[in-house]
Amino acid sequence: MPHPTFGAALGKLIYQKRKALGLTQLQLAEDAFQTQAKVRRVIELEKGTVANPHPKTIDPIIAVLQITEEELEACAKGTDFQPDRELDRAYREARNLIEAISRQFEHSNPQASLAEVDDFLRQKAREWAELRARIQAIESTDSKLANFTTAASHALAEGNFEEVDALLAQAEDFQQQERTLTEVRKQAQIRITRGDTSLLKGDFDAAKIHYRQAAQFFEPFDQSEMVYILDEIAGHLYEVGRRSTNPPFLIAADLLEAALRTELVQNDPEERAKLYFRLGLIYRNASITATLSELAAEFIDKAIDCNRKSLAALPDTPDANRLASAKVGLSNCLLQKGRETRSPEIIGDAIGILIEIRQLLHGIPEALEVLGTTCNALGNAFMENYQLQNPELQDQSLLDTALEAYNAALEAASRSSDASVWGTAKANCGVVLATKARMQGIESEAARFLRVQAISAYLASIETFPEVSFPMPFAEAHKSLSDLFFDQSVATDDELKEFYLFRAIASSNSAGEIFSKERYPDDWAHIQTQLGRIFLYHATLRDDTLVTDLNQAKEHFQEALKIFQTSNDEVEIEFCHERLKYIDEQLEDREN
């Protein structure tokens, strides 16, 4: 038997304490948080939803219920409770900073669940620990510089970013007294750390300035090291961006563009090819995450231009891996542009490039990683061609061709132990299988089994893209899963109907945690319409929950409608109005 979680044990204790004091859940929320709106957190705690909540995230409830340290320890005994040492240390050494950040998060996200608050604070504690380590890593035998960095560490613990910056600036001025290259490296590290501080604070403009100036320190001494620093920081920001819902891609692009303007890179075709390839990758990702269509189009055009320049700078006889990587980068950009402009010609160009690459890499063991990426992109291109065709004339053989390409990507990724490519290929297989399940004329049992296969593929992909590492693929996979679970529920005639509906709700909620209303309003609105559809369908299944389900559906459609009206999406506006009219009619009939 598995041990109960700490959250479950704590939930029972909170329930007992609340009952002993004669408080309702609403009253406890009011006493602890000064608002009944956060009753959801009380409910979450009592249900043990959060397996391992940090005591500091629930201090208000602990205080109101007068829960002692001994009682908390008793809850931990016999469970799988694992202390979060980073968060413990952050609360111990940087309590003012963590509490200030917590208040800012609460103010910006008043409806946040306990799990969201807990995850947010743990992430900020990790960021604080990393930044503190970077400050302490600025080593020197000079006691004066050591004093500056020690004071900066203390200021960081208090959340006084201005003092951190001032102290680091003093340390930098001190370093400028010794202009040897060794000292410049220390000086640059200080400035990079100032950039990291600004990034943690959310000041992207200041971060960009600090990073650029850190590299410029090397310009009078060693331009190659200047380019190296710009490239290294840009690479770090790119990796951070892939795992963030607010990626600093444009800072990374600015740094690489600065490197490309140097005389050293202008005179080195190989270095130029490398940097243009990386810049194209950054602009493509910036296009994917851009919230304005005009910016997305601008970024993808820049990405295409960068990839063409990268190919042009390659030597006449480049190695297969480098040539293939450059061509995959270009084909991915063309594919994205073809999708956005609905151009079969552009997608056809991408397919031609990818087929050429696949043939080039065939039989080269050391090229398996690039081969997997190539096959994924080729499958995507075939799927885009399929989607652009008239529904009545769609060539279904394209689906089989796409699935064959994705399976080839899975094989290459398995042989090279590339989890990222493997997970992407699994999600892509899910897309094809789900599309096949929705084809007209397919037998119901065949469609049901195809959906089971698609669900399995998506779940496998999610295991390789955990939310904390790759939030966007995680959210996209859950959006697709919600649709599949809903379709499976509609097509099922047994007790599994509600089971699949509940899973559809869970996947929609998981996607909604990433596609937030503030940052991704259109995605969030579509998630609301999906939840509305789910509750509306559930209302047809059970008479005892009909009114509750209809009101739930109404609330979701109303929330989605507000967003669609802002973006003037006439199709979705009409869809929401039709559903709301139908719901009102059903509620009126129920009352009569």
Side-chain angles (χ1 to χ4, degrees):
M1 290 291 290
H3 290 300
T5 65
F6 172 67
L10 180 61
K12 290 181 180 179
L13 176 63
I14 289 173
Y15 175 80
Q16 294 166 358
K17 289 275 189 176
R18 177 175 64 79
K19 285 293 187 180
L21 292 173
L23 297 174
T24 65
Q25 291 175 328
L26 283 173
Q27 288 170 329
L28 179 54
E30 177 69 35
D31 290 346
F33 303 111
Q34 287 73 56
T35 173
Q36 293 183 355
K38 294 182 180 178
V39 66
R40 173 185 176 190
R41 297 186 188 174
V42 177
I43 296 171
E44 284 181 312
L45 279 168
E46 292 190 355
K47 287 184 175 180
T49 304
V50 183
N52 194 18
H54 195 280
K56 293 300 179 183
T57 64
I58 53 175
D59 261 348
I61 290 177
I62 290 175
V64 169
L65 298 179
Q66 298 180 358
I67 295 175
T68 66
E69 289 291 335
E70 290 76 14
E71 288 173 319
L72 289 174
E73 290 176 6
C75 288
K77 289 180 180 177
T79 71
D80 56 359
F81 177 72
Q82 294 294 326
D84 189 328
R85 301 189 187 284
E86 286 183 351
L87 188 51
D88 287 342
R89 182 179 181 185
Y91 267 108
R92 186 173 64 254
E93 299 182 16
R95 180 175 178 179
N96 291 344
L97 168 62
I98 296 296
E99 290 185 351
I101 289 176
S102 176
R103 286 193 296 272
Q104 291 172 9
F105 178 80
E106 293 265 15
H107 180 73
S108 302
N109 304 271
Q111 300 302 318
S113 68
L114 176 67
E116 291 168 333
V117 174
D118 199 63
D119 288 345
F120 175 80
L121 289 182
R122 291 177 193 274
Q123 177 60 31
K124 288 302 174 183
R126 285 191 288 271
E127 291 177 15
W128 170 84
E130 290 171 4
L131 183 54
R132 185 177 187 274
R134 290 180 69 86
I135 290 175
Q136 292 178 336
I138 302 172
E139 298 177 352
S140 174
T141 56
D142 191 291
S143 60
K144 188 171 182 180
L145 182 59
N147 289 339
F148 284 133
T149 56
T150 300
S153 292
H154 290 315
L156 178 66
E158 293 297 318
N160 192 338
F161 292 106
E162 287 71 21
E163 186 178 354
V164 172
D165 187 76
L167 286 163
L168 290 174
Q170 291 178 56
E172 182 181 318
D173 290 338
F174 176 77
Q175 282 298 104
Q176 287 177 340
Q177 297 172 13
E178 299 290 334
R179 296 292 292 182
T180 64
L181 191 55
T182 300
E183 296 302 317
V184 169
R185 290 193 184 104
K186 294 179 183 178
Q187 181 181 345
Q189 188 59 49
I190 294 169
R191 184 57 68 93
I192 291 170
T193 307
R194 291 179 68 185
D196 293 341
T197 303
S198 297
L199 200 66
L200 177 61
K201 189 170 62 172
D203 189 345
F204 281 20
D205 290 336
K208 180 172 69 174
I209 291 170
H210 288 317
Y211 292 140
R212 283 281 297 275
Q213 291 177 344
Q216 287 168 356
F217 289 151
F218 292 97
E219 192 166 16
F221 303 95
D222 187 340
Q223 199 172 75
S224 64
E225 191 147 3
M226 173 183 172
V227 171
Y228 172 78
I229 290 293
L230 288 168
D231 188 19
E232 280 290 297
I233 299 173
H236 171 69
L237 294 176
Y238 170 70
E239 290 301 325
V240 169
R242 292 177 66 208
R243 294 163 172 80
S244 171
T245 55
N246 186 24
F249 289 136
L250 295 187
I251 303 178
D254 179 85
L255 299 179
L256 287 183
E257 286 171 349
L260 282 160
R261 287 193 293 269
T262 62
E263 183 180 354
L264 175 74
V265 175
Q266 288 296 313
N267 295 329
D268 186 342
E270 187 170 343
E271 186 71 12
R272 197 162 66 251
K274 181 189 76 173
L275 293 180
Y276 269 125
F277 173 76
R278 293 183 182 178
L279 185 57
L281 193 61
I282 287 169
Y283 272 127
R284 177 170 173 258
N285 278 271
S287 172
I288 293 171
T289 57
T291 54
L292 296 176
S293 58
E294 296 84 359
L295 280 178
E298 175 188 341
F299 293 152
I300 197 62
D301 283 340
K302 286 186 175 182
I304 291 171
D305 182 60
C306 288
N307 278 282
R308 292 194 189 281
K309 288 178 177 176
S310 177
L311 279 167
L314 286 174
D316 293 336
T317 55
D319 69 80
N321 259 332
R322 288 197 61 189
L323 178 61
S325 294
K327 288 193 172 185
V328 167
L330 176 59
S331 62
N332 280 334
C333 293
L334 290 172
L335 181 58
Q336 187 173 328
K337 185 175 179 65
R339 180 191 308 123
E340 293 169 356
T341 59
R342 299 188 63 77
S343 169
E345 293 79 13
I346 296 177
I347 293 175
D349 290 342
I351 290 175
I353 293 171
L354 290 164
I355 290 175
E356 176 189 336
I357 299 168
R358 187 174 179 180
Q359 292 171 343
L360 172 69
L361 299 179
H362 182 71
I364 304 178
E366 58 270 23
L368 282 171
E369 184 175 344
V370 180
L371 178 61
T373 302
T374 301
C375 291
N376 264 330
L378 184 58
N380 291 344
F382 286 127
M383 285 300 293
E384 289 299 334
N385 253 355
Y386 175 82
Q387 296 293 345
L388 287 180
Q389 293 176 346
N390 185 307
E392 296 179 356
L393 302 175
Q394 281 178 329
D395 183 0
Q396 296 178 7
S397 66
L398 284 173
L399 295 177
D400 294 324
T401 307
L403 191 59
E404 184 274 329
Y406 293 142
N407 283 325
L410 284 172
E411 181 183 356
S414 296
R415 291 172 62 192
S416 60
S417 300
D418 190 329
S420 178
V421 170
W422 189 90
T424 301
K426 273 294 183 181
N428 289 335
C429 288
V431 173
V432 178
L433 293 164
T435 303
K436 283 190 165 191
R438 296 187 181 107
M439 290 192 310
Q440 292 184 351
I442 189 169
E443 294 181 0
S444 59
E445 282 304 310
R448 180 170 178 172
F449 183 57
L450 282 167
R451 281 191 293 271
V452 169
Q453 290 176 281
I455 289 168
S456 298
Y458 275 118
L459 289 174
S461 75
I462 286 172
E463 286 302 307
T464 66
F465 294 127
E467 178 184 353
V468 294
S469 297
F470 297 96
M472 304 308 286
F474 174 91
E476 290 289 356
H478 270 297
K479 277 180 66 180
S480 300
L481 267 176
S482 181
D483 287 335
L484 282 165
F485 286 138
F486 180 77
D487 290 348
Q488 196 74 326
S489 175
V490 173
T492 298
D493 293 325
D494 52 32
E495 67 278 0
L496 291 177
K497 268 188 176 296
E498 289 199 86
F499 168 75
Y500 282 120
L501 284 182
F502 288 140
R503 295 188 73 182
I505 292 171
S507 281
S508 285
N509 287 335
S510 292
E513 291 177 1
I514 305 301
F515 291 131
S516 66
K517 182 179 181 180
E518 293 74 23
R519 180 152 180 78
Y520 300 98
D522 287 342
D523 288 296
W524 183 85
H526 281 100
I527 291 169
Q528 299 311 302
T529 60
Q530 171 70 349
L531 288 167
R533 290 173 63 224
I534 293 169
F535 282 106
L536 191 56
Y537 180 67
H538 191 256
T540 66
L541 304 181
R542 293 181 53 174
D543 189 67
D544 59 323
T545 62
L546 185 145
V547 174
T548 301
D549 287 335
L550 289 175
N551 282 319
Q552 282 271 53
K554 182 176 182 178
E555 181 180 338
H556 287 298
F557 283 123
Q558 285 174 334
E559 288 296 319
L561 181 60
K562 294 175 186 176
I563 302 297
F564 293 135
Q565 287 174 332
T566 301
S567 59
N568 288 323
D569 191 328
E570 295 181 2
V571 174
E572 294 297 341
I573 290 172
E574 182 179 359
F575 177 81
C576 289
H577 276 309
E578 288 176 355
R579 295 301 181 273
L580 288 169
K581 180 181 177 182
Y582 173 79
I583 291 170
D584 285 337
E585 290 172 352
Q586 294 298 308
L587 288 171
E588 185 176 347
D589 289 345
R590 187 73 174 184
E591 291 177 359
N592 295 333

